[in-house]
Amino acid sequence: QQQVKQSPQSLIVQKGGISIINCAYENTAFDYFPWYQQFPGKGPALLIAIRPDVSEKKEGRFTISFNKSAKQFSLHIMDSQPGDSATYFCAAGNDMRFGAGTRLTVKP
Amino acid sequence: DGGITQSPKYLFRKEGQNVTLSCEQNLNHDAMYWYRQDPGQGLRLIYYSQIVNDFQKGDIAEGYSVSREKKESFPLTVTSAQKNPTAFYLCASSIAGGSNQPQHFGDGTRLSIL
C-alpha cells in the first residue's frame, strides 16, 4: 500500500549545488504535504510543508514546489551545505504515509 | 521543554519474549503514532491513536499491540508473534488526528534480537 512514491533513493551533490527530491501521491483528497529531515540516530523533524492552495513555498534555502494536476511535489535545497547531509522524507495523507526516503550527501 | 520521550534508546529481545517500548509526550497532543523504520523502506505506520482509549491499525500492525489509557502515553508492545522485530521504532504526536497537522517525533528505540 504505497500511497507516496519518493525519488531518488540517494543523492550526492557538491557544496553550493541544488538538491532536488521528488514525491508523487495518489489520493487527490490529500491536503497537506510536509517534508521531514532526519539525522542518524534521531527522529525526523519537520522541515517545511505546503498546502495545495499554493504552488510554491520558500523558507530560507528550502523550497517546495507543488503540482496539483500532476499530483507531485518536490523539495529544492539551494546552496546545499555539508550540514544538509541527512535523510529526507515526504509525507501525505490524513494519517501520514511517508515516502521511502532520500539519503542526501553534500560533498565539501 | 515540550517534546516526546522514547525509552529505552536500545532494547534487546529474546526469542519468544514480549517487550514494551515507552512513548511519553508533554505537548498536550491528542494524536499519537508508532512507526517502524527499516533501511531503505522509510517509515511504516504500525498503529495510531487520535484520542484517548481509541486506536487504529496501520499498515503493519500484525505482531504489535498498543494502549492509550492516558493522553500523554502510547506504549507499543512487540509480541513474540512479530517474527522480524529488529528495527528502529519511532513514536510521533500531532495536535489532532487528520491532515494538516505536522508530526513531532521522538528519537526512537532501536530493537534487536539476542
Side-chain angles (χ1 to χ4, degrees), chain A residues 4-61:
Chain A
V4 182
K5 295 182 180 180
Q6 182 173 345
S7 62
Q9 189 173 9
S10 63
L11 181 63
I12 299 174
V13 175
Q14 290 294 130
K15 179 182 176 181
I18 302 173
S19 303
I20 302 175
I21 305 170
N22 302 298
C23 273
Y25 62 98
E26 299 173 354
N27 192 331
T28 55
F30 293 167
D31 56 1
Y32 179 67
F33 303 92
W35 284 93
Y36 290 83
Q37 179 188 56
Q38 183 182 30
F39 293 104
K42 296 292 186 181
L46 179 68
L47 185 64
I48 187 172
I50 197 168
R51 305 189 194 284
D53 53 343
V54 296
S55 60
E56 185 175 282
K57 181 175 181 180
K58 183 176 181 179
E59 291 183 359
R61 296 184 294 110

Short mmCIF file of all heavy atoms in Angstrom, two decimals, chain A residues 4-61:
data_model
loop_
_atom_site.label_atom_id
_atom_site.label_comp_id
_atom_site.label_asym_id
_atom_site.label_seq_id
_atom_site.Cartn_x
_atom_site.Cartn_y
_atom_site.Cartn_z
N VAL A 4 2.62 7.13 -1.36
CA VAL A 4 3.56 8.21 -1.64
C VAL A 4 4.85 7.59 -2.19
O VAL A 4 5.46 6.76 -1.53
CB VAL A 4 3.87 9.02 -0.37
CG1 VAL A 4 4.81 10.17 -0.71
CG2 VAL A 4 2.58 9.54 0.26
N LYS A 5 5.23 7.99 -3.39
CA LYS A 5 6.44 7.48 -4.03
C LYS A 5 7.48 8.59 -4.10
O LYS A 5 7.21 9.66 -4.63
CB LYS A 5 6.13 6.95 -5.43
CG LYS A 5 5.21 5.75 -5.42
CD LYS A 5 4.98 5.22 -6.82
CE LYS A 5 4.06 4.01 -6.80
NZ LYS A 5 3.81 3.46 -8.15
N GLN A 6 8.66 8.30 -3.56
CA GLN A 6 9.72 9.31 -3.44
C GLN A 6 10.93 8.88 -4.25
O GLN A 6 11.29 7.71 -4.29
CB GLN A 6 10.11 9.46 -1.96
CG GLN A 6 11.15 10.50 -1.68
CD GLN A 6 11.38 10.72 -0.20
OE1 GLN A 6 10.58 10.30 0.65
NE2 GLN A 6 12.47 11.39 0.16
N SER A 7 11.58 9.87 -4.89
CA SER A 7 12.80 9.60 -5.66
C SER A 7 13.70 10.83 -5.65
O SER A 7 13.21 11.96 -5.49
CB SER A 7 12.44 9.24 -7.11
OG SER A 7 11.78 10.32 -7.73
N PRO A 8 15.02 10.66 -5.79
CA PRO A 8 15.72 9.38 -5.87
C PRO A 8 15.92 8.77 -4.49
O PRO A 8 15.64 9.41 -3.48
CB PRO A 8 17.07 9.80 -6.47
CG PRO A 8 17.30 11.16 -5.91
CD PRO A 8 15.95 11.81 -5.86
N GLN A 9 16.42 7.56 -4.44
CA GLN A 9 16.70 6.89 -3.17
C GLN A 9 17.91 7.52 -2.49
O GLN A 9 17.98 7.60 -1.27
CB GLN A 9 16.92 5.41 -3.41
CG GLN A 9 17.02 4.58 -2.16
CD GLN A 9 17.07 3.11 -2.46
OE1 GLN A 9 17.19 2.69 -3.61
NE2 GLN A 9 16.97 2.29 -1.43
N SER A 10 18.89 7.92 -3.30
CA SER A 10 20.07 8.60 -2.76
C SER A 10 20.51 9.68 -3.74
O SER A 10 20.22 9.61 -4.94
CB SER A 10 21.21 7.60 -2.50
OG SER A 10 21.62 7.01 -3.70
N LEU A 11 21.21 10.68 -3.19
CA LEU A 11 21.58 11.84 -3.98
C LEU A 11 22.90 12.38 -3.46
O LEU A 11 23.05 12.56 -2.24
CB LEU A 11 20.48 12.89 -3.88
CG LEU A 11 20.63 14.19 -4.63
CD1 LEU A 11 20.68 13.95 -6.14
CD2 LEU A 11 19.46 15.12 -4.31
N ILE A 12 23.83 12.62 -4.36
CA ILE A 12 25.10 13.23 -3.98
C ILE A 12 25.24 14.54 -4.73
O ILE A 12 25.10 14.59 -5.95
CB ILE A 12 26.29 12.30 -4.32
CG1 ILE A 12 26.16 10.98 -3.55
CG2 ILE A 12 27.61 12.97 -3.96
CD1 ILE A 12 27.21 9.95 -3.92
N VAL A 13 25.50 15.61 -3.98
CA VAL A 13 25.57 16.96 -4.54
C VAL A 13 26.84 17.64 -4.02
O VAL A 13 27.24 17.41 -2.88
CB VAL A 13 24.32 17.76 -4.13
CG1 VAL A 13 24.41 19.20 -4.58
CG2 VAL A 13 23.07 17.11 -4.71
N GLN A 14 27.43 18.46 -4.86
CA GLN A 14 28.58 19.25 -4.41
C GLN A 14 28.10 20.44 -3.60
O GLN A 14 27.00 20.98 -3.82
CB GLN A 14 29.39 19.73 -5.61
CG GLN A 14 30.14 18.64 -6.35
CD GLN A 14 31.23 18.02 -5.50
OE1 GLN A 14 31.32 16.79 -5.38
NE2 GLN A 14 32.08 18.85 -4.92
N LYS A 15 28.93 20.85 -2.67
CA LYS A 15 28.63 22.04 -1.86
C LYS A 15 28.33 23.22 -2.78
O LYS A 15 29.05 23.47 -3.76
CB LYS A 15 29.84 22.37 -0.97
CG LYS A 15 29.65 23.61 -0.11
CD LYS A 15 30.89 23.91 0.72
CE LYS A 15 30.73 25.20 1.51
NZ LYS A 15 31.94 25.53 2.30
N GLY A 16 27.24 23.91 -2.46
CA GLY A 16 26.81 25.05 -3.26
C GLY A 16 25.84 24.70 -4.37
O GLY A 16 25.24 25.59 -4.98
N GLY A 17 25.66 23.42 -4.62
CA GLY A 17 24.75 22.98 -5.67
C GLY A 17 23.30 22.93 -5.21
O GLY A 17 22.97 23.25 -4.07
N ILE A 18 22.42 22.54 -6.13
CA ILE A 18 20.98 22.44 -5.83
C ILE A 18 20.61 20.96 -5.69
O ILE A 18 20.93 20.15 -6.55
CB ILE A 18 20.14 23.08 -6.95
CG1 ILE A 18 20.52 24.55 -7.14
CG2 ILE A 18 18.65 22.95 -6.63
CD1 ILE A 18 19.85 25.20 -8.33
N SER A 19 19.94 20.65 -4.59
CA SER A 19 19.45 19.28 -4.37
C SER A 19 17.96 19.27 -4.65
O SER A 19 17.22 20.15 -4.18
CB SER A 19 19.70 18.85 -2.92
OG SER A 19 21.06 18.96 -2.58
N ILE A 20 17.50 18.28 -5.41
CA ILE A 20 16.08 18.19 -5.76
C ILE A 20 15.59 16.78 -5.46
O ILE A 20 16.16 15.80 -5.93
CB ILE A 20 15.84 18.52 -7.24
CG1 ILE A 20 16.34 19.93 -7.57
CG2 ILE A 20 14.35 18.40 -7.57
CD1 ILE A 20 16.26 20.29 -9.03
N ILE A 21 14.53 16.71 -4.67
CA ILE A 21 13.92 15.43 -4.29
C ILE A 21 12.44 15.49 -4.66
O ILE A 21 11.79 16.51 -4.42
CB ILE A 21 14.07 15.16 -2.78
CG1 ILE A 21 15.55 15.23 -2.37
CG2 ILE A 21 13.49 13.78 -2.43
CD1 ILE A 21 15.77 15.21 -0.87
N ASN A 22 11.95 14.42 -5.25
CA ASN A 22 10.59 14.42 -5.78
C ASN A 22 9.68 13.42 -5.08
O ASN A 22 10.13 12.37 -4.63
CB ASN A 22 10.62 14.08 -7.28
CG ASN A 22 11.47 15.05 -8.06
OD1 ASN A 22 11.18 16.24 -8.11
ND2 ASN A 22 12.54 14.55 -8.66
N CYS A 23 8.41 13.78 -5.01
CA CYS A 23 7.40 12.86 -4.46
C CYS A 23 6.15 12.91 -5.31
O CYS A 23 5.79 13.97 -5.82
CB CYS A 23 7.06 13.23 -3.02
SG CYS A 23 8.16 12.45 -1.83
N ALA A 24 5.50 11.75 -5.43
CA ALA A 24 4.25 11.65 -6.13
C ALA A 24 3.24 10.96 -5.23
O ALA A 24 3.59 10.04 -4.49
CB ALA A 24 4.42 10.85 -7.43
N TYR A 25 2.01 11.46 -5.25
CA TYR A 25 0.99 10.87 -4.40
C TYR A 25 -0.19 10.42 -5.26
O TYR A 25 -0.31 10.81 -6.43
CB TYR A 25 0.55 11.85 -3.32
CG TYR A 25 -0.08 13.13 -3.85
CD1 TYR A 25 -1.46 13.28 -3.92
CD2 TYR A 25 0.72 14.19 -4.26
CE1 TYR A 25 -2.02 14.43 -4.40
CE2 TYR A 25 0.17 15.35 -4.74
CZ TYR A 25 -1.21 15.47 -4.81
OH TYR A 25 -1.78 16.63 -5.28
N GLU A 26 -1.05 9.61 -4.67
CA GLU A 26 -2.15 9.02 -5.45
C GLU A 26 -3.51 9.62 -5.11
O GLU A 26 -4.36 9.78 -5.97
CB GLU A 26 -2.18 7.51 -5.20
CG GLU A 26 -0.90 6.79 -5.64
CD GLU A 26 -0.88 5.33 -5.24
OE1 GLU A 26 -1.80 4.90 -4.53
OE2 GLU A 26 0.07 4.62 -5.62
N ASN A 27 -3.71 9.92 -3.83
CA ASN A 27 -5.04 10.30 -3.38
C ASN A 27 -5.25 11.81 -3.49
O ASN A 27 -4.57 12.60 -2.83
CB ASN A 27 -5.21 9.85 -1.92
CG ASN A 27 -6.65 9.95 -1.45
OD1 ASN A 27 -7.41 10.78 -1.92
ND2 ASN A 27 -7.01 9.11 -0.50
N THR A 28 -6.18 12.22 -4.33
CA THR A 28 -6.42 13.65 -4.53
C THR A 28 -7.03 14.32 -3.31
O THR A 28 -7.13 15.54 -3.26
CB THR A 28 -7.32 13.87 -5.75
OG1 THR A 28 -8.53 13.10 -5.56
CG2 THR A 28 -6.64 13.41 -7.02
N ALA A 29 -7.45 13.54 -2.33
CA ALA A 29 -8.03 14.12 -1.11
C ALA A 29 -6.95 14.62 -0.16
O ALA A 29 -7.25 15.35 0.79
CB ALA A 29 -8.90 13.08 -0.41
N PHE A 30 -5.69 14.25 -0.38
CA PHE A 30 -4.61 14.72 0.48
C PHE A 30 -4.53 16.23 0.41
O PHE A 30 -4.60 16.82 -0.67
CB PHE A 30 -3.28 14.11 0.07
CG PHE A 30 -3.18 12.62 0.29
CD1 PHE A 30 -2.14 11.91 -0.27
CD2 PHE A 30 -4.10 11.94 1.08
CE1 PHE A 30 -2.02 10.53 -0.08
CE2 PHE A 30 -4.00 10.57 1.27
CZ PHE A 30 -2.96 9.87 0.69
N ASP A 31 -4.34 16.88 1.58
CA ASP A 31 -4.31 18.34 1.55
C ASP A 31 -3.21 18.94 2.41
O ASP A 31 -3.29 20.11 2.80
CB ASP A 31 -5.67 18.91 1.95
CG ASP A 31 -6.13 18.42 3.31
OD1 ASP A 31 -5.39 17.64 3.95
OD2 ASP A 31 -7.23 18.81 3.74
N TYR A 32 -2.20 18.14 2.71
CA TYR A 32 -1.07 18.65 3.50
C TYR A 32 0.15 17.84 3.12
O TYR A 32 0.12 16.60 3.18
CB TYR A 32 -1.38 18.51 4.99
CG TYR A 32 -0.29 18.99 5.92
CD1 TYR A 32 0.06 20.34 5.98
CD2 TYR A 32 0.38 18.10 6.76
CE1 TYR A 32 1.05 20.77 6.85
CE2 TYR A 32 1.36 18.52 7.62
CZ TYR A 32 1.69 19.86 7.66
OH TYR A 32 2.67 20.29 8.52
N PHE A 33 1.22 18.54 2.73
CA PHE A 33 2.38 17.86 2.17
C PHE A 33 3.64 18.37 2.84
O PHE A 33 4.23 19.36 2.44
CB PHE A 33 2.44 18.08 0.65
CG PHE A 33 1.20 17.63 -0.05
CD1 PHE A 33 0.14 18.51 -0.27
CD2 PHE A 33 1.06 16.32 -0.46
CE1 PHE A 33 -1.02 18.10 -0.88
CE2 PHE A 33 -0.10 15.89 -1.09
CZ PHE A 33 -1.14 16.78 -1.30
N PRO A 34 4.08 17.68 3.89
CA PRO A 34 5.29 18.10 4.61
C PRO A 34 6.54 17.36 4.14
O PRO A 34 6.47 16.27 3.56
CB PRO A 34 4.97 17.71 6.05
CG PRO A 34 4.12 16.49 5.91
CD PRO A 34 3.35 16.65 4.61
N TRP A 35 7.67 17.97 4.41
CA TRP A 35 8.96 17.32 4.25
C TRP A 35 9.63 17.26 5.62
O TRP A 35 9.61 18.24 6.37
CB TRP A 35 9.85 18.10 3.28
CG TRP A 35 9.48 17.92 1.85
CD1 TRP A 35 8.65 18.70 1.11
CD2 TRP A 35 9.93 16.89 0.97
NE1 TRP A 35 8.54 18.23 -0.17
CE2 TRP A 35 9.33 17.11 -0.29
CE3 TRP A 35 10.80 15.80 1.11
CZ2 TRP A 35 9.55 16.29 -1.40
CZ3 TRP A 35 11.03 14.98 0.01
CH2 TRP A 35 10.41 15.24 -1.22
N TYR A 36 10.24 16.12 5.90
CA TYR A 36 10.94 15.93 7.16
C TYR A 36 12.42 15.64 6.89
O TYR A 36 12.78 15.04 5.87
CB TYR A 36 10.34 14.76 7.95
CG TYR A 36 8.97 15.04 8.51
CD1 TYR A 36 7.83 14.88 7.73
CD2 TYR A 36 8.80 15.46 9.82
CE1 TYR A 36 6.57 15.15 8.23
CE2 TYR A 36 7.55 15.72 10.34
CZ TYR A 36 6.44 15.56 9.54
OH TYR A 36 5.20 15.82 10.05
N GLN A 37 13.25 16.06 7.83
CA GLN A 37 14.70 15.85 7.75
C GLN A 37 15.10 14.98 8.92
O GLN A 37 14.70 15.23 10.06
CB GLN A 37 15.42 17.20 7.82
CG GLN A 37 16.93 17.14 7.77
CD GLN A 37 17.52 18.52 8.05
OE1 GLN A 37 17.26 19.15 9.06
NE2 GLN A 37 18.33 19.01 7.11
N GLN A 38 15.90 13.94 8.66
CA GLN A 38 16.31 13.04 9.72
C GLN A 38 17.82 12.84 9.69
O GLN A 38 18.39 12.45 8.66
CB GLN A 38 15.62 11.67 9.59
CG GLN A 38 15.95 10.71 10.72
CD GLN A 38 15.29 9.35 10.54
OE1 GLN A 38 15.06 8.89 9.43
NE2 GLN A 38 14.98 8.68 11.65
N PHE A 39 18.45 13.06 10.85
CA PHE A 39 19.87 12.78 11.02
C PHE A 39 20.03 11.41 11.68
O PHE A 39 19.11 10.95 12.39
CB PHE A 39 20.54 13.87 11.85
CG PHE A 39 20.58 15.20 11.15
CD1 PHE A 39 19.71 16.22 11.51
CD2 PHE A 39 21.47 15.44 10.12
CE1 PHE A 39 19.72 17.44 10.86
CE2 PHE A 39 21.50 16.66 9.45
CZ PHE A 39 20.61 17.65 9.82
N PRO A 40 21.16 10.74 11.46
CA PRO A 40 21.34 9.38 12.00
C PRO A 40 21.10 9.32 13.51
O PRO A 40 21.58 10.16 14.28
CB PRO A 40 22.81 9.08 11.67
CG PRO A 40 23.08 9.89 10.45
CD PRO A 40 22.30 11.15 10.62
N GLY A 41 20.33 8.31 13.94
CA GLY A 41 20.06 8.10 15.35
C GLY A 41 19.05 9.04 15.95
O GLY A 41 18.83 9.02 17.17
N LYS A 42 18.42 9.86 15.12
CA LYS A 42 17.43 10.83 15.60
C LYS A 42 16.11 10.60 14.91
O LYS A 42 16.02 9.94 13.88
CB LYS A 42 17.90 12.25 15.32
CG LYS A 42 19.18 12.64 16.06
CD LYS A 42 18.93 12.73 17.55
CE LYS A 42 20.15 13.26 18.27
NZ LYS A 42 19.93 13.34 19.74
N GLY A 43 15.05 11.16 15.50
CA GLY A 43 13.77 11.12 14.83
C GLY A 43 13.68 12.20 13.77
O GLY A 43 14.41 13.19 13.81
N PRO A 44 12.79 12.04 12.79
CA PRO A 44 12.60 13.08 11.77
C PRO A 44 12.08 14.37 12.40
O PRO A 44 11.38 14.34 13.42
CB PRO A 44 11.54 12.46 10.85
CG PRO A 44 11.58 11.00 11.11
CD PRO A 44 11.94 10.86 12.55
N ALA A 45 12.41 15.47 11.78
CA ALA A 45 11.92 16.78 12.23
C ALA A 45 11.33 17.50 11.04
O ALA A 45 11.87 17.44 9.92
CB ALA A 45 13.05 17.59 12.85
N LEU A 46 10.21 18.19 11.27
CA LEU A 46 9.55 18.91 10.19
C LEU A 46 10.48 19.98 9.64
O LEU A 46 11.04 20.79 10.37
CB LEU A 46 8.27 19.56 10.71
CG LEU A 46 7.48 20.37 9.67
CD1 LEU A 46 6.89 19.45 8.61
CD2 LEU A 46 6.38 21.18 10.36
N LEU A 47 10.62 19.99 8.30
CA LEU A 47 11.48 20.96 7.63
C LEU A 47 10.66 22.08 7.02
O LEU A 47 10.88 23.25 7.25
CB LEU A 47 12.29 20.23 6.55
CG LEU A 47 13.34 21.01 5.79
CD1 LEU A 47 14.45 21.48 6.72
CD2 LEU A 47 13.93 20.14 4.67
N ILE A 48 9.67 21.71 6.22
CA ILE A 48 8.82 22.66 5.52
C ILE A 48 7.59 21.91 5.04
O ILE A 48 7.66 20.70 4.80
CB ILE A 48 9.59 23.32 4.34
CG1 ILE A 48 8.79 24.44 3.70
CG2 ILE A 48 10.03 22.27 3.33
CD1 ILE A 48 9.59 25.23 2.65
N ALA A 49 6.47 22.61 4.92
CA ALA A 49 5.24 21.95 4.48
C ALA A 49 4.45 22.90 3.58
O ALA A 49 4.60 24.13 3.66
CB ALA A 49 4.39 21.53 5.67
N ILE A 50 3.58 22.32 2.75
CA ILE A 50 2.78 23.12 1.82
C ILE A 50 1.36 22.57 1.79
O ILE A 50 1.14 21.37 2.02
CB ILE A 50 3.41 23.12 0.40
CG1 ILE A 50 2.84 24.26 -0.44
CG2 ILE A 50 3.23 21.77 -0.28
CD1 ILE A 50 3.61 24.49 -1.74
N ARG A 51 0.41 23.45 1.53
CA ARG A 51 -0.97 23.05 1.31
C ARG A 51 -1.28 23.24 -0.16
O ARG A 51 -0.67 24.08 -0.82
CB ARG A 51 -1.90 23.86 2.20
CG ARG A 51 -1.50 23.77 3.67
CD ARG A 51 -2.52 24.39 4.60
NE ARG A 51 -1.97 24.59 5.95
CZ ARG A 51 -1.79 23.64 6.84
NH1 ARG A 51 -2.09 22.41 6.55
NH2 ARG A 51 -1.30 23.90 8.04
N PRO A 52 -2.25 22.54 -0.71
CA PRO A 52 -2.46 22.52 -2.17
C PRO A 52 -3.03 23.80 -2.75
O PRO A 52 -3.22 23.89 -3.97
CB PRO A 52 -3.41 21.34 -2.37
CG PRO A 52 -4.07 21.14 -1.06
CD PRO A 52 -3.10 21.56 -0.02
N ASP A 53 -3.30 24.80 -1.94
CA ASP A 53 -3.84 26.04 -2.48
C ASP A 53 -2.74 26.97 -2.99
O ASP A 53 -3.03 28.03 -3.56
CB ASP A 53 -4.71 26.76 -1.45
CG ASP A 53 -3.99 26.98 -0.12
OD1 ASP A 53 -2.97 26.31 0.12
OD2 ASP A 53 -4.46 27.83 0.65
N VAL A 54 -1.46 26.58 -2.80
CA VAL A 54 -0.34 27.36 -3.34
C VAL A 54 0.56 26.43 -4.14
O VAL A 54 0.59 25.23 -3.92
CB VAL A 54 0.47 28.06 -2.24
CG1 VAL A 54 -0.38 29.07 -1.51
CG2 VAL A 54 1.05 27.03 -1.28
N SER A 55 1.31 26.99 -5.07
CA SER A 55 2.16 26.17 -5.93
C SER A 55 3.62 26.14 -5.47
O SER A 55 4.40 25.32 -5.93
CB SER A 55 2.10 26.67 -7.37
OG SER A 55 2.55 28.02 -7.43
N GLU A 56 3.96 27.06 -4.57
CA GLU A 56 5.35 27.11 -4.11
C GLU A 56 5.42 27.75 -2.74
O GLU A 56 4.68 28.67 -2.42
CB GLU A 56 6.20 27.92 -5.10
CG GLU A 56 7.69 27.92 -4.78
CD GLU A 56 8.50 28.63 -5.86
OE1 GLU A 56 8.73 28.03 -6.92
OE2 GLU A 56 8.88 29.79 -5.62
N LYS A 57 6.35 27.23 -1.92
CA LYS A 57 6.59 27.82 -0.61
C LYS A 57 8.08 27.80 -0.36
O LYS A 57 8.73 26.78 -0.58
CB LYS A 57 5.86 27.05 0.49
CG LYS A 57 6.06 27.65 1.88
CD LYS A 57 5.21 26.92 2.90
CE LYS A 57 5.39 27.54 4.28
NZ LYS A 57 4.55 26.83 5.30
N LYS A 58 8.61 28.94 0.09
CA LYS A 58 10.04 29.06 0.30
C LYS A 58 10.33 29.44 1.74
O LYS A 58 9.71 30.35 2.28
CB LYS A 58 10.62 30.10 -0.66
CG LYS A 58 12.12 30.26 -0.59
CD LYS A 58 12.61 31.24 -1.64
CE LYS A 58 14.13 31.37 -1.59
NZ LYS A 58 14.62 32.32 -2.64
N GLU A 59 11.30 28.76 2.35
CA GLU A 59 11.77 29.11 3.68
C GLU A 59 13.29 29.01 3.66
O GLU A 59 13.86 27.92 3.70
CB GLU A 59 11.17 28.19 4.75
CG GLU A 59 9.70 28.39 4.97
CD GLU A 59 9.13 27.52 6.09
OE1 GLU A 59 9.90 26.74 6.69
OE2 GLU A 59 7.93 27.62 6.35
N GLY A 60 13.93 30.18 3.57
CA GLY A 60 15.39 30.19 3.51
C GLY A 60 15.88 29.51 2.24
O GLY A 60 15.47 29.84 1.13
N ARG A 61 16.74 28.51 2.41
CA ARG A 61 17.28 27.80 1.25
C ARG A 61 16.38 26.66 0.77
O ARG A 61 16.68 26.00 -0.22
CB ARG A 61 18.67 27.24 1.60
CG ARG A 61 19.72 28.31 1.90
CD ARG A 61 21.09 27.70 2.14
NE ARG A 61 21.13 26.88 3.35
CZ ARG A 61 21.25 25.56 3.35
NH1 ARG A 61 21.30 24.88 2.20
NH2 ARG A 61 21.30 24.89 4.49
#
